[in-house]
Amino acid sequence: MRPPLRWIGWCLNLPGPAAAPPHGGPRRRGVLSDVIVPPIPRSRLRAGVGPRLRVTPQIETLPWIAAWLIAVPSVSAASGAPPRGAVEGTLRPLAAEDEQLLDRIQRDAFRYFLDQANPATGLVADASRPGAPASIAATGFGLAALCIGESRGWISHDEAYARVFRTLSTVRKRLAHERGFYYHFVDAATGERVWSSEASSIDTALLLAGALTAAQHFEGTEIELLGNYLYRRTEWPWMMTNDGLLSMGWKPEQGFLHATWDWYNEGILLYALALSSPTYPIPSEAWHRWRRAERVYAGTPVIYSYFGSLFTYQYAQAYIDFRHLYDGSVNYWQNSVNAAAANRQFCRDQAAQHAGYRQGYWGLTAGDGPSGYRGYGAEPAEVALHDGTINPYGMIAALPFDATAALDALKALLNGHGERIYGEYGFRSGFNLDQDWWSRQYLGIDQGISVLMIENVRSGRVWDTFMRNPYIRQWLGRCMAREPARKLPGS
Amino acid sequence: MTTHHRRRYLIKRGLQLRYMAVLIGAMALSAALAGALTYIGIWSRVIPDFSAARMAEKLETASRISEQEAARLGPRASGTLALFSQAKLLSAHEQESLASAMRGANQELAPVLAIILAAIGAASLLISHRLAGPVYRLEQAIAAVSAGRLDLTVRLRKGDELSELALALQELIDTWRGSAERTQALIGQLSAALTRLAPLAAQDDAARAAVTQLRSALRELEQEYRAYVVRPSPPA
């Protein structure tokens, strides 16, 4: 943080990062404690449960946000959530028929997080198949999904509050972790590490993004304190390698994994959270270290991910509203729009080889296939693996970027193969028409990104909620700008 | 110093056999319960974990996780090599399962063992009381006899140990009481005889001195035996 801002915050005795004395003095014990969750003043609690979604920031942060907005006008304009009755900007209002269809798909996918969450811990199963462990990424998506379900009236306010609180309490007290990094797969009943899984940086980020969304949604309640506490206890610099990048994970048996987040992909959410931390931030240089490789496919320029999987362009955008943000010359929103277009075009170009592509389906992304879970993807990519398998969540999560194309394909899929690909939790994981293979299971992360992206295309609610978080503004101030340094070709 | 070696270890056969049975029974029961609970606790978790359905689930999950790792980190192994990766995952998971089963069984066993220990403690209190009660009562009886109470009747509760010892003590007390009664009667008779003898011995100095000496000795004897309570009294 810049020294003048720290001084303003310190002089005003504000909570959060600005409350820390500028020259290493004692840290003020505010509502956001590093070590323990302090008791909440009664005046901040509302009848023991959280409030409904509202835009008002908590009283303690108002002066700080005001000072921050004055000090950094360009960033405040970039990060300020635009008004959203209906979605705006690059999004177009949905037709009533489409709204109805998306409501059904979203509600069915949401049900996954009611049925597949452990009733005692709130941890969400990685997949619907028997014996699947809990996944912290799915649990993170579940936290955000519960907020959406409450806002849409699918579950009562009290039930949503109880479920979110139970989950966050489990994460705080029982979920195995190393310096605030949680294990990828855990026992749903106990929270213990299973399957020799790694303490995963990206999955921790997905969990914490959900926790921060819930914290903002249930602002002024214990959930806000719990969510913020979990975020503040993660020691992001510990996960950094000598290259100045974040490692993909750590295992007790072998130490840090060799793989790092060194390409553009869903890892930008991880970097955004690590750079925003008020307690253990990583240096700003880390943001500029990962590779932004650009290639044009069929006339569409894309800063592409290594495998070209569509989800790599979507996960971070489920939480972060990139529409008015620029990383130098790059607008990642536009990049995801371009990536969706390139993915669709790639499927058209490969239509002769695969029946699924011929029928107009697209959205090549990581998911279940006839040979197991594969990192499917499309050009541009270093390795574009595809075998005709379609994972429908790829199209659903592309709704904000190209609603017309995604809706057309989804409608065609429901009309043509609805009985085989659609079930109690919405779309199943994948299908391959060439091999007449149909997945029988649902994956937590697939249903999660579906619920969140449908909500964003319908109301922008997840973006609004997440972007109100005071912490994420640190990253915005450090790494993002309102105006592009130069126009992205095709944008 | 002479060393005495016991030739017979079952000196009080009945008592010793009873207490040997109690000790062996308690230990066998504890061991059997702990063993059975450990066995049931562990195997009730492990056996279902090795059922065909569960093994199929685990194989699928190992395969999925291995594939997910490959999808994220890049394909590092394929075909037979991928099987090794999955086998490694499965092996790690089986170790986790066993460790978890052991931990779970221990956690469940701890309160059960505490209850068993409490039950054994209560039983040992009752059993030891059958020995400690009579010992206490015999100690009290011996103390009373030392104080001259020869009118005691030593009674133990039904089922108490050391009843033979109590019977022997009662016989000793009864014998002692009979002896004391007879001595007291003789003292009375001697006292009466001396009273009759006194006028006759008044004429002779030597005889008078002898009577006086006899009276003095008889008085001492009378005082000695007056301390003994020999009339039967209600049981203590």
Side-chain angles (χ1 to χ4, degrees), chain A residues 293-347:
Chain A
E294 186 174 333
R295 198 185 291 169
V296 177
Y297 182 80
T300 306
V302 179
I303 292 178
Y304 62 97
S305 61
Y306 194 88
F307 296 109
S309 287
L310 205 46
F311 86 93
T312 57
Y313 304 95
Q314 297 166 337
Y315 267 30
Q317 312 245 3
Y319 291 100
I320 299 172
D321 184 357
F322 277 103
R323 283 176 294 177
H324 308 283
L325 300 178
Y326 290 88
D327 175 19
S329 63
V330 181
N331 176 276
Y332 291 115
W333 165 269
Q334 187 60 49
N335 192 60
S336 292
V337 171
N338 291 0
N343 194 296
R344 194 152 47 95
Q345 186 57 47
F346 179 80
C347 290

Side-chain angles (χ1 to χ4, degrees), chain A residues 55-99:
Chain A
V55 181
T56 314
Q58 66 183 80
I59 287 297
E60 291 86 338
T61 58
L62 272 174
W64 162 244
I65 292 171
W68 187 84
L69 289 176
I70 293 164
V72 196
S74 64
V75 174
S76 66
S79 58
R84 278 184 203 87
V87 287
E88 53 79 58
T90 42
L91 301 179
R92 64 172 176 79
L94 294 165
E97 173 200 342
D98 296 338
E99 179 78 30

Side-chain angles (χ1 to χ4, degrees), chain A residues 151-290:
Chain A
S151 297
R152 293 214 164 267
W154 295 333
I155 53 171
S156 71
H157 175 71
D158 288 356
E159 185 184 355
Y161 187 91
R163 281 176 177 265
V164 171
F165 186 80
R166 187 183 308 134
T167 307
L168 292 179
S169 297
T170 299
V171 175
R172 182 188 169 209
K173 294 175 186 168
R174 298 170 66 180
L175 196 61
H177 71 98
E178 297 296 332
R179 301 188 188 219
F181 288 94
Y182 303 91
Y183 288 97
H184 191 168
F185 297 112
V186 293
D187 186 310
T190 64
E192 289 171 5
R193 175 196 186 208
V194 293
W195 287 103
S196 192
S197 61
E198 79 284 11
S200 166
S201 51
I202 186 64
D203 293 288
T204 296
L206 290 168
L207 173 65
L208 293 178
L212 287 175
T213 305
Q216 212 59 35
H217 181 81
F218 291 103
E219 200 176 358
T221 69
E222 282 184 275
I223 284 178
E224 182 189 7
L225 295 177
L226 266 174
N228 289 343
Y229 164 77
L230 294 173
Y231 175 55
R232 291 169 68 102
R233 85 169 173 185
T234 303
E235 299 178 31
W236 303 99
W238 177 69
M239 194 54 85
M240 290 194 78
T241 64
N242 293 334
D243 301 332
L245 292 159
L246 286 163
S247 170
M248 286 198 175
W250 177 88
K251 284 188 175 187
E253 301 83 9
Q254 69 179 71
F256 289 99
L257 306 184
H258 294 304
T260 55
W261 294 100
D262 56 355
W263 274 71
Y264 166 80
N265 51 35
E266 74 275 23
I268 58 174
L269 175 66
L270 167 64
Y271 280 103
L273 289 177
L275 283 155
S276 300
S277 172
T279 45
Y280 303 105
I282 61 171
S284 298
E285 296 74 45
W287 178 256
H288 305 289
R289 285 193 181 274
W290 44 269

Side-chain angles (χ1 to χ4, degrees), chain B residues 137 144 149-155 170 177 229-236:
Chain B
R137 212 163 256 213
R149 293 285 308 277
L150 301 180
D151 57 339
L152 276 182
T153 304
V154 181
R155 285 188 182 168
Q170 186 63 56
R177 186 173 60 236
V229 180
V230 294
R231 283 172 302 180
S233 60

Side-chain angles (χ1 to χ4, degrees), chain B residues 115-233:
Chain B
I115 292 168
I116 291 172
L117 273 177
I120 289 174
S124 66
L125 186 68
L126 290 174
I127 292 167
S128 68
H129 197 259
R130 289 175 58 184
L131 188 65
V135 167
Y136 174 73
R137 212 163 256 213
L138 290 174
E139 281 174 354
Q140 280 190 323
I142 290 166
V145 169
S146 300
R149 293 285 308 277
L150 301 180
D151 57 339
L152 276 182
T153 304
V154 181
R155 285 188 182 168
L156 300 181
R157 291 169 306 183
K158 190 179 178 185
D160 275 353
E161 299 293 351
L162 305 181
S163 55
E164 291 173 10
L165 182 61
L167 206 60
L169 180 63
Q170 186 63 56
E171 281 177 14
L172 177 69
I173 293 168
D174 291 347
T175 307
W176 202 343
R177 186 173 60 236
S179 170
E181 281 172 346
R182 282 194 299 280
T183 305
Q184 283 175 347
L186 283 172
I187 289 168
Q189 289 170 18
L190 282 171
S191 182
L194 275 176
T195 304
R196 285 196 301 276
L197 190 63
L200 300 173
Q203 315 300 322
D204 182 67
D205 290 343
R208 198 168 58 243
V211 167
T212 304
Q213 198 176 356
L214 274 172
R215 269 215 177 109
S216 174
L218 201 58
R219 241 189 329 268
E220 279 183 30
L221 200 61
E222 197 175 359
Q223 278 174 357
E224 183 76 19
Y225 272 82
R226 195 176 292 152
Y228 293 112
V229 180
V230 294
R231 283 172 302 180
S233 60

